[in-house]
Amino acid sequence: MMRRIVTETVLGYIFWSLFQGLGPMIWFYPLNELEISGYEAFCLLWLSPIIAFFGTIFNLIQSKLGLACLRVGMLLCIGSFQAPSTLSRLEVLAVGNGLAMLVLVSTLWSKSQQQRCITVWGLVLGFFAVLAGRIWLTSFNPTWWDKTTNSVVLAIGAIATIDKIVTESSKASEDKTKSSHLQCYWFPTSVGFGSLLFLTHWLFGEVSIVTRWTVSRYPDHGPMPYPWGCVILLSLATGVVLSVSQSLANNILWWVVGCLSLIGLYWLPTWKAFACGSILATYTMSIWPEMLDRLTTCPPVKSLLTVMLTYLVEIFFSVWTVAYNFVPGGVYTREHTDYLILCVMVCIGLALFSKRRTKEPSYTSYVKISEGDMPGKPVYIVLLITVMVGLAGFASRLHQQKNGQGPERPNKQFTAAIWTYHFGYDNKGWPSLERSAKMLNETGADIITLLESDASKPFLGNNDLGMWLGEKLNMYVDFGASTRDHTWGNLLLSKFPIVKSKHHLLPSPHGELAPGITATVNISGNLVDFVVTHMGNDRDVLDRKLQAEVLANELRNSPNPAVFLGYVTSAPGSRDYKKLINHGRMKDIDSTDQERWCEYIMYKKLIRLGYARISHAGLSDTEVQVGRFRIPDNPISYQDNDRYVTDAQLVDVNTRFNPRFGPYRHGHNSIPDHLFHMSTPKYFLPRT
């Protein structure tokens, strides 16, 4: 029995990898075009069970040969990561999801009670296997990380698939006792399970998501992903253990607890919200077996179609709550996660209580098969192993956690950088983390702001970019605003301790909600303020006017030396530019640079030393800008550098930028490498 459970767990892992992988690939196209692109139609492959309406086809996919072909095809589609182009990868991945749905309709509604049962527990355990793998790769799914990990998953999946095909009985023993089981209403049951599937993907597709929902400003920032993600992992596992009690899943008070915990996660602050998220994790997994047990008593094809249609409606609604400025009907969905919460929990409640279970025996999840009762000892052993693997992943990352005062800078010099990060995907849709971390490290930046950096959302991969980069670059992380605040994200990474910070949701009456952070950083005993933001789009004139006023006030009221790192979407000399310069009492790091539109670096009470623009080389749609400064001994009375040179040999070696990025260069760089461009680098010297 153990062998069957392990095999089914691997197959469950393959299913979840395909399922979680499709959304980000579809999202790649509207992300680049800032509108509905048409590629969203690939999600319709999730409705592939519609072909099983025809009895002949349904019988074919339930046959040993048909199911074997589906399993092999599903596995091969994992190799989509190694496809030569973005579109071909999306096509193969979408087909893989279509095949996965056909496998699901075949196995969950198999005539064999044993097959139905181990499919249920394979899905549950496969989900934990995905979570454990993500922990080891600091929130990223190994299947979609690089070609090596993708090939390893393919190899393990091939072993499990072959084992399943070889050992699968050619003749399923039909369950003859269905009439004695609870007969559920198919529509509320299907809608409820679709909502449960969405809830699981939305909040628990990776164990750090809850902490990013509850994050706040420094120093009271609430639970961090490390180590508090392990609490979510244990809470989910506790839910599986509790799921053995069907009476608990069918208890209306337990459903009320689930409702209140989701509400608390959304509305309460930091630790209280995290406690609610932990309870919700337990509730979510405790009802999975019962919901699947009910679902499998319903008609297969229309039930699974309704499940996936419900999931699609809810996942698109979650997109609409954030991307409302670019989609039709966005005015009605703007920031309305509360509507989504209400819909999800009501649908789950309808599924559980439209027809109450009394003394009817289980049909699928809790049955006696030839090897014993399910879930039996093998299920709990595999669950324990996957959880222990996940906890071991946390332990292995202990040495990567940032602490201490940061590097010593006796000359009080530091470097700041800004970049629009594109959610950690390059311009072809592949993960860019390793390449971008290498490049950012080579800039020598001590403080980095990354815009468009909240990839915790399910359609962006459930990835925690801040946690990954913080551990990779050995930097402190300020993640703001939180994922539940309906922005595209704003990260501040610092080699020096962050003393305090404030998270802003800037005025955005017309356009998308603009995030911002004001942070005070202790740089070798000197306090420096950083104001970082992504302002609204150029078409939202009023938004940018109001946002510039708030940001200028923050800068004006800063008592310390300050740096502004912002995406302003205005030309030099524009209304918003002047507001930040004049009212904010700031200086432009290079007022002679008229070839800017998005990113700007401004400063006050500091001595500018250098300014560089580094081409993105296909990792994003925006360049990296870097500014180097010195903190004056007396910020009230000091002389700033007011002339520039382009010859690095004329400045101190500690002031020079990394020669890895090449020499001074005019115009745009079109070579696919990170190089200086746009008439940089420039070095600033005192007037002689």
Side-chain angles (χ1 to χ4, degrees):
M1 187 60 182
M2 175 62 75
R3 176 179 168 182
R4 291 185 179 181
I5 293 298
V6 171
T7 296
E8 207 67 38
T9 299
V10 174
L11 297 178
Y13 181 97
I14 298 297
F15 169 84
W16 283 107
S17 292
L18 289 168
F19 185 75
Q20 291 186 345
L22 183 57
M25 282 307 301
I26 291 175
W27 175 254
F28 170 79
Y29 289 95
L31 169 65
N32 285 306
E33 298 177 22
L34 295 180
E35 61 183 1
I36 293 175
S37 63
Y39 292 93
E40 295 83 359
F42 278 101
C43 71
L44 296 179
L45 268 294
W46 272 325
L47 306 181
S48 61
I50 195 170
I51 66 173
F53 264 126
F54 302 99
T56 304
I57 295 178
F58 188 64
N59 291 333
L60 177 63
I61 65 176
Q62 285 202 315
S63 69
K64 182 175 182 179
L65 178 60
L67 187 53
C69 291
L70 291 175
R71 291 191 191 279
V72 171
M74 176 178 159
L75 173 67
L76 292 176
C77 290
I78 287 287
S80 62
F81 187 83
Q82 304 188 41
S85 69
T86 309
L87 182 58
S88 60
R89 179 184 170 191
L90 173 58
E91 291 169 341
V92 175
L93 183 56
V95 169
N97 275 268
L99 296 176
M101 289 299 130
L102 291 174
V103 170
L104 207 58
V105 78
S106 172
T107 55
L108 274 181
W109 281 272
S110 171
K111 296 174 182 178
S112 166
Q113 190 177 60
Q114 176 174 287
Q115 177 61 66
R116 295 197 305 270
C117 182
I118 61 174
T119 298
V120 167
W121 293 105
L123 286 172
V124 171
L125 296 173
F127 179 68
F128 277 86
V130 168
L131 294 181
R134 280 177 171 269
I135 291 168
W136 278 90
L137 284 183
T138 321
S139 84
F140 283 82
N141 189 325
T143 308
W144 312 123
W145 180 245
D146 61 27
K147 289 185 178 180
T148 300
T149 57
N150 181 260
S151 297
V152 170
V153 171
L154 269 171
I156 296 173
I159 294 170
T161 300
I162 293 170
D163 181 69
K164 183 68 177 178
I165 292 171
V166 170
T167 59
E168 204 160 34
S169 173
S170 59
K171 208 167 186 181
S173 55
E174 187 172 353
D175 177 24
K176 302 291 186 180
T177 59
K178 185 171 179 178
S179 59
S180 66
H181 297 277
L182 178 70
Q183 301 296 299
C184 296
Y185 298 120
W186 74 269
F187 185 75
T189 301
S190 304
V191 169
F193 184 73
S195 295
L196 179 62
L197 181 64
F198 168 74
L199 176 65
T200 306
H201 190 189
W202 185 30
L203 295 177
F204 306 114
E206 204 282 312
V207 296
S208 71
I209 296 172
V210 169
T211 64
R212 291 316 191 189
W213 271 53
T214 63
V215 70
S216 187
R217 60 187 182 272
Y218 274 75
D220 302 317
H221 47 64
M224 299 296 274
Y226 187 99
W228 292 100
C230 67
V231 173
I232 300 301
L233 179 65
L234 293 171
S235 297
L236 290 165
T238 301
V240 176
V241 174
L242 292 178
S243 72
V244 71
S245 171
Q246 288 179 271
S247 60
L248 180 64
N250 287 284
N251 190 313
I252 195 168
L253 292 179
W254 185 229
W255 173 77
V256 170
V257 168
C259 293
L260 293 177
S261 61
L262 181 51
I263 292 169
L265 174 61
Y266 184 58
W267 270 288
L268 294 178
T270 56
W271 289 100
K272 293 177 181 178
F274 180 75
C276 290
S278 301
I279 295 170
L280 181 64
T282 300
Y283 174 79
T284 299
M285 293 313 299
S286 74
I287 64 172
W288 254 81
E290 172 64 15
M291 291 285 276
L292 279 169
D293 196 81
R294 289 168 171 264
L295 183 69
T296 53
T297 67
C298 301
V301 177
K302 64 181 181 181
S303 296
L304 190 54
L305 284 175
T306 305
V307 165
M308 294 314 300
L309 283 170
T310 303
Y311 170 84
L312 284 171
V313 168
E314 291 173 351
I315 195 76
F316 274 112
F317 193 96
S318 73
V319 175
W320 256 241
T321 63
V322 186
Y324 49 81
N325 200 34
F326 308 106
V327 295
V331 66
Y332 305 108
T333 61
R334 174 175 178 157
E335 301 171 49
H336 274 304
T337 295
D338 49 350
Y339 293 175
L340 196 54
I341 289 172
L342 177 65
C343 176
V344 166
M345 294 313 295
V346 167
C347 288
I348 290 174
L350 287 174
L352 289 171
F353 307 118
S354 60
K355 191 154 189 178
R356 302 295 295 273
R357 185 183 292 275
T358 53
K359 295 182 179 180
E360 296 89 352
S362 172
Y363 181 59
T364 294
S365 301
Y366 315 92
V367 297
K368 186 177 182 65
I369 58 179
S370 57
E371 289 86 352
D373 292 337
M374 290 289 286
K377 188 177 179 180
V379 169
Y380 294 120
I381 290 175
V382 174
L383 175 64
L384 178 62
I385 290 172
T386 55
V387 171
M388 293 302 293
V389 168
L391 295 177
F394 277 106
S396 72
R397 289 162 41 203
L398 178 61
H399 70 284
Q400 298 174 333
Q401 304 312 305
K402 177 67 175 174
N403 53 59
Q405 295 302 307
E408 282 297 323
R409 295 290 168 77
N411 58 1
K412 298 195 289 188
Q413 182 174 300
F414 69 91
T415 304
I418 177 174
W419 192 19
T420 305
Y421 200 52
H422 228 229
F423 306 104
Y425 296 100
D426 66 20
N427 290 346
K428 294 184 178 180
W430 267 260
S432 65
L433 274 291
E434 290 284 4
R435 289 170 289 162
S436 61
K438 181 177 183 292
M439 184 269 291
L440 289 170
N441 190 51
E442 289 171 341
T443 66
D446 301 298
I447 293 89
I448 304 169
T449 185
L450 297 177
L451 312 172
E452 296 181 5
S453 51
D454 185 359
S456 299
K457 301 170 179 66
F459 51 88
L460 287 169
N462 290 142
N463 303 321
D464 195 321
L465 307 182
M467 179 170 61
W468 193 94
L469 288 165
E471 294 185 12
K472 183 72 174 181
L473 299 174
N474 193 29
M475 302 179 86
Y476 293 99
V477 181
D478 194 355
F479 185 104
S482 72
T483 298
R484 66 186 181 181
D485 284 325
H486 310 99
T487 77
W488 297 118
N490 195 2
L491 279 179
L492 183 71
L493 300 167
S494 174
K495 292 179 180 177
F496 300 97
I498 301 170
V499 177
K500 64 178 180 178
S501 67
K502 180 165 54 174
H503 295 172
H504 307 281
L505 295 176
L506 299 174
S508 307
H510 296 153
E512 58 186 348
L513 200 55
I517 299 175
T518 300
T520 301
V521 178
N522 184 345
I523 301 179
S524 300
N526 301 274
L527 298 182
V528 179
D529 291 337
F530 292 85
V531 178
V532 302
T533 188
H534 187 313
M535 293 173 63
N537 291 290
D538 59 311
R539 67 188 184 192
D540 299 313
V541 178
L542 177 60
D543 290 35
R544 288 185 292 103
K545 177 178 183 294
L546 298 174
Q547 291 161 10
E549 290 173 356
V550 172
L551 294 167
N553 285 332
E554 285 290 314
L555 294 163
R556 184 186 184 94
N557 296 329
S558 168
N560 304 313
V563 177
F564 173 77
L565 302 167
Y567 192 103
V568 182
T569 53
S570 298
S574 65
R575 177 200 64 191
D576 302 325
Y577 174 92
K578 290 179 179 178
K579 188 71 176 180
L580 294 166
I581 293 290
N582 298 329
H583 186 73
R585 297 176 178 172
M586 302 295 286
K587 297 179 182 178
D588 188 342
I589 194 170
D590 183 13
S591 58
T592 67
D593 186 353
Q594 297 298 304
E595 298 296 324
R596 290 172 295 172
W597 175 256
C598 298
E599 297 172 346
Y600 288 85
I601 300 175
M602 301 176 185
Y603 69 103
K604 73 173 184 179
K605 298 181 183 178
L606 293 166
I607 299 171
R608 61 178 177 171
L609 300 176
Y611 167 59
R613 298 172 66 172
I614 301 171
S615 58
H616 58 69
L619 292 192
S620 172
D621 59 354
T622 312
E623 67 181 9
V624 180
Q625 287 190 13
V626 184
R628 185 158 287 170
F629 303 93
R630 180 182 296 123
I631 304 170
D633 295 327
N634 184 348
I636 304 300
S637 176
Y638 70 97
Q639 182 64 45
D640 193 10
N641 293 333
D642 56 4
R643 69 185 181 94
Y644 75 84
V645 297
T646 59
D647 184 355
Q649 301 301 318
L650 298 177
V651 298
D652 184 80
V653 65
N654 293 321
T655 301
R656 299 173 192 170
F657 291 111
N658 192 338
R660 170 262 178 271
F661 297 109
Y664 174 88
R665 181 187 301 266
H666 289 289
H668 286 279
N669 168 48
S670 57
I671 300 173
D673 188 13
H674 301 290
L675 298 173
F676 294 127
H677 71 162
M678 302 306 293
S679 303
T680 69
K682 295 177 179 177
Y683 299 99
F684 301 96
L685 299 171
R687 187 168 296 279
T688 56

